[in-house]
Amino acid sequence: LIDSTVFWSGLYDSQAKWGMFTNHWFKGYKLHLCITTKGIILSHVLTTANQNYAVVALELLVSLQQWDIEFVLGEAAYAGSEKVRQTVE
C-alpha cells in the first residue's frame, strides 16, 4: 500500500512549501509510506508539500525491489506517469 499524510507547518517555516491535500491548500510537508497489509513500513519518503506524487512513487517503488512484491495499491495520483507504470511492470 502506498499513501501519504500531511504535516502542517507554520507560516514562517522557510523550508516548507505550499501544496494541495484533499482539495485544500496547506503549507508543510508530506510523509509518503509503503506499508504491508499488516502495517509494516517497507519504505518512506518525506517531501515538501509541493512534490508530485508520481515522482515520489518512483522513489518508493525502486526501494521495494529488494522484496518479492506482487502488486502495489495506491491512490490514482501515484500512477500519474508512464514511468511509474513501467517501473511496476
Side-chain angles (χ1 to χ4, degrees):
L1 303 172
I2 299 178
D3 206 357
S4 66
T5 190
V6 300
F7 293 99
W8 294 76
S9 182
L11 293 176
Y12 301 105
D13 182 348
S14 63
Q15 295 179 349
K17 302 291 182 198
W18 286 95
M20 293 279 302
F21 191 76
T22 61
N23 298 324
H24 292 77
W25 286 97
F26 76 101
K27 185 177 182 181
Y29 305 89
K30 291 181 185 175
L31 176 63
H32 305 266
L33 295 173
C34 283
I35 63 170
T36 68
T37 55
K38 295 183 180 187
I40 299 169
I41 297 172
L42 301 176
S43 182
H44 68 283
V45 176
L46 181 65
T47 67
T48 53
N50 64 336
Q51 290 294 309
N52 182 298
Y53 280 78
V55 173
V56 174
L58 285 173
E59 188 174 341
L60 290 169
L61 292 172
V62 168
S63 69
L64 295 178
Q65 291 178 346
Q66 59 186 316
W67 289 287
D68 186 25
I69 305 291
E70 293 182 26
F71 63 92
V72 177
L73 297 175
E75 62 182 271
Y78 285 105
S81 77
E82 187 62 31
K83 278 188 168 185
V84 172
R85 289 185 209 97
Q86 290 172 353
T87 302
V88 171
E89 294 172 356

